[in-house]
Amino acid sequence: MPYSLKELDGFALVAPDGEIGHAKEAYFDDGHWTIRHLVVDTGGWLTGRKVLVSPHAVRRIDHARRCIEVALERGQVESAPDVDTARPVSRQHEMAIYDHYGWPYWWSGGSLWGVSALPTLAGTVLAPPSSGAGLPPGIAEQMRAQRADDDPHLRSSAEVTGYHIEASDGSIGHIDDFVFDERSWSIAFVVVDTGHWLPGRQVLIAPRWIEHIDWGERRAQVRLSRAAVESSPPYQRGAPLREEQFLRVQRHFERSE
């Protein structure tokens, strides 16, 4: 089921032994366009601290209760490495977080989540990595051989929101939100607010149609025309997100390419 990332803002993260904080934003990698971490503000429980929680730990998203159930314990979160959201997350810092919780490295392996196509260990409290529990022989050693100084290419959803989007023949608006797949946590579409060009409209643009992003200039170029965007199916925030809607968007832009 697809979800809007912005709609998760403020959702409580609930562990079996209590609440650990609220979702504030996410980090995604700009190669696979997949959400790798939720940034969690621990609030009054751990005053002033923010922690990263991987989709590996997510059991389910409960929209009715506005919460995300996670397979963590409050003690694990309390002793987790801090994160400074004002600075880029280094690979070394990311490794420290993954080692702390015993998650397999998403960047090591041939699949979207390293050793699998999905964050398949979600829903279980993971053993520490030193135990090797749940990992095929040799995988733990292979993961630890990964260079600690590799660039993780992680981008903050909060920072990227507002980036200007340029079509082949002019501006079409700015990034307003992200729609992601609940199972893989991959970003299916970027939500573009068309602003003054098409007042009151939002449209969906798949990451594969983005040709180039200038991170310094906060601008992205898409290989689509303004006419193709203008005639695309509109997106309405808050309305139920249905697969058939996304299929219509995909077919529309495929015909326009």
Side-chain angles (χ1 to χ4, degrees), residues 46-68:
L46 300 174
T47 305
R49 281 194 59 189
K50 293 181 180 178
V51 294
L52 300 183
V53 172
S54 166
H56 279 302
V58 175
R59 283 180 167 167
R60 74 184 185 110
I61 301 172
D62 189 331
H63 266 268
R65 295 169 51 216
R66 290 184 53 81
C67 74
I68 302 170

Side-chain angles (χ1 to χ4, degrees), residues 10-57:
F11 271 36
L13 272 79
V14 181
D17 57 352
E19 187 176 305
I20 63 174
H22 293 81
K24 299 303 296 179
E25 58 182 290
Y27 283 110
F28 65 92
D29 80 89
D30 62 17
H32 299 91
W33 284 80
T34 298
I35 296 170
R36 301 302 183 179
H37 305 277
L38 291 174
V39 179
V40 181
D41 187 336
T42 58
W45 174 48
L46 300 174
T47 305
R49 281 194 59 189
K50 293 181 180 178
V51 294
L52 300 183
V53 172
S54 166
H56 279 302

Side-chain angles (χ1 to χ4, degrees), residues 43-131:
W45 174 48
L46 300 174
T47 305
R49 281 194 59 189
K50 293 181 180 178
V51 294
L52 300 183
V53 172
S54 166
H56 279 302
V58 175
R59 283 180 167 167
R60 74 184 185 110
I61 301 172
D62 189 331
H63 266 268
R65 295 169 51 216
R66 290 184 53 81
C67 74
I68 302 170
E69 297 178 3
V70 293
L72 299 173
E73 297 171 353
R74 282 166 61 95
Q76 288 179 293
V77 176
E78 186 173 12
S79 58
D82 289 338
V83 59
D84 182 356
T85 56
R87 302 177 60 186
V89 177
S90 69
R91 177 66 83 213
Q92 188 169 4
H93 191 174
E94 198 173 18
M95 289 176 72
I97 293 169
Y98 269 57
D99 286 351
H100 174 77
Y101 290 111
W103 297 324
Y105 299 158
W106 64 263
W107 58 89
S108 183
S111 298
L112 186 64
W113 284 93
V115 296
S116 66
L118 302 172
T120 52
L121 298 182
T124 59
V125 176
L126 305 178
S130 58
S131 70

Side-chain angles (χ1 to χ4, degrees), residues 193-216:
D193 188 324
T194 55
H196 296 299
W197 175 50
L198 297 174
R201 280 279 303 274
Q202 290 186 326
V203 296
L204 300 174
I205 302 293
R208 70 185 182 90
W209 295 315
I210 298 176
E211 286 187 315
H212 173 71
I213 298 180
D214 188 325
W215 302 106

Side-chain angles (χ1 to χ4, degrees), residues 138-156:
I139 291 295
E141 291 77 9
Q142 176 187 342
M143 292 191 304
R144 290 187 178 283
Q146 184 78 18
R147 289 176 57 200
D149 59 349
D150 282 349
D151 182 356
H153 292 280
L154 293 178
R155 306 292 176 179
S156 160

